Amino acid sequence: MNSTNTALAQLDTGNGAAEDGDMDAELTLMRQEMGAGFKEVNARIDEVRREVTARIDELRKETAENFKLTEAKIEQSRREAVEYSRLIEAKLEEARKQTADGLMLIEGKLAEARRQTWDNYKLLDAKLDEARQQTWDNYRFLDMKLDEFRKEASRHSEVQFRWLMGLLVTLLLGIGGLYARLV
């Protein structure tokens, strides 16, 4: 406030003492009004500060409640995620079991197919052996028959040769007898 008085004193022209008194009264009144204004502003600032503080406290409470709600929702989501994960794991385990059962069934069918193929191979091999034996038996039978035909043919040839020789000898004797008669 001293600086205000100093500033006012510098403005004072010095020839109006009455004016100075009026001015002092006005200044005092102005100071009082300013002080009252400051008090009013400070009161309003205090009121706004209280309102802001109350609003901040209210927001803190709301934030704390929202935080609690959010935490509860997060915890619920975690529980649901864990349950969903367990459900998925159970389904995956069931799928693994079904796949393993399917593979075992396929393995069984493959083993049965291998066994049947081996049995069919052995049966086919036995039939081939039987066919080879039958072919060999047929070959020997045919060879024996051919030998018999050769022997019989050679016996027939021999008989035919003897018959032909007998015929020739008879013919020569006949020709010789005729020749002898003629001579």
Side-chain angles (χ1 to χ4, degrees):
M1 291 209 192
N2 273 340
S3 62
T4 308
N5 288 337
T6 307
L8 290 175
Q10 289 175 353
L11 290 175
D12 191 11
T13 55
N15 38 349
E19 285 179 3
D20 284 345
D22 287 339
M23 199 182 249
D24 280 337
E26 284 179 20
L27 281 175
T28 302
L29 183 61
M30 190 189 286
R31 282 187 194 119
Q32 288 172 352
E33 286 175 358
M34 281 178 64
F38 281 134
K39 283 181 186 175
E40 189 178 315
V41 167
N42 283 337
R44 179 66 186 139
I45 289 172
D46 285 343
E47 183 182 333
V48 169
R49 184 179 291 132
R50 280 191 301 275
E51 288 175 2
V52 168
T53 302
R55 182 66 182 142
I56 288 172
D57 288 344
E58 187 179 313
L59 287 173
R60 282 184 180 144
K61 286 178 187 175
E62 287 177 16
T63 301
E65 288 175 13
N66 286 337
F67 183 76
K68 287 178 184 176
L69 287 173
T70 303
E71 283 293 317
K73 286 181 180 178
I74 288 172
E75 186 57 33
Q76 179 64 29
S77 294
R78 282 185 185 137
R79 283 192 298 266
E80 289 173 0
V82 167
E83 186 61 32
Y84 187 68
S85 176
R86 287 180 184 151
L87 181 64
I88 289 173
E89 188 62 36
K91 286 184 178 181
L92 284 174
E93 187 59 34
E94 179 63 25
R96 285 185 196 112
K97 185 182 174 296
Q98 287 176 352
T99 301
D101 291 347
L103 287 175
M104 287 174 57
L105 182 64
I106 289 170
E107 285 284 329
K109 286 182 178 181
L110 284 173
E112 178 64 22
R114 284 186 202 108
R115 189 187 60 73
Q116 286 177 355
T117 301
W118 180 248
D119 290 346
N120 289 340
Y121 172 76
K122 288 192 304 189
L123 182 64
L124 183 61
D125 193 41
K127 285 183 178 181
L128 283 172
D129 283 344
E130 185 180 317
R132 282 187 208 111
Q133 184 62 43
Q134 195 171 22
T135 302
W136 179 248
D137 290 345
N138 289 340
Y139 172 76
R140 284 194 320 211
F141 177 74
L142 288 175
D143 193 42
M144 184 179 71
K145 285 291 186 187
L146 281 173
D147 282 345
E148 285 177 15
F149 285 137
R150 279 188 207 118
K151 285 178 185 175
E152 193 175 313
S154 96
R155 267 185 253 126
H156 285 296
S157 294
E158 192 176 309
V159 168
Q160 286 175 352
F161 178 73
R162 285 184 189 158
W163 180 79
L164 185 60
M165 289 308 280
L167 186 64
L168 273 174
V169 168
T170 307
L171 185 65
L172 283 175
L173 285 174
I175 293 174
L178 278 175
Y179 181 70
R181 274 193 197 172
L182 286 173
V183 183

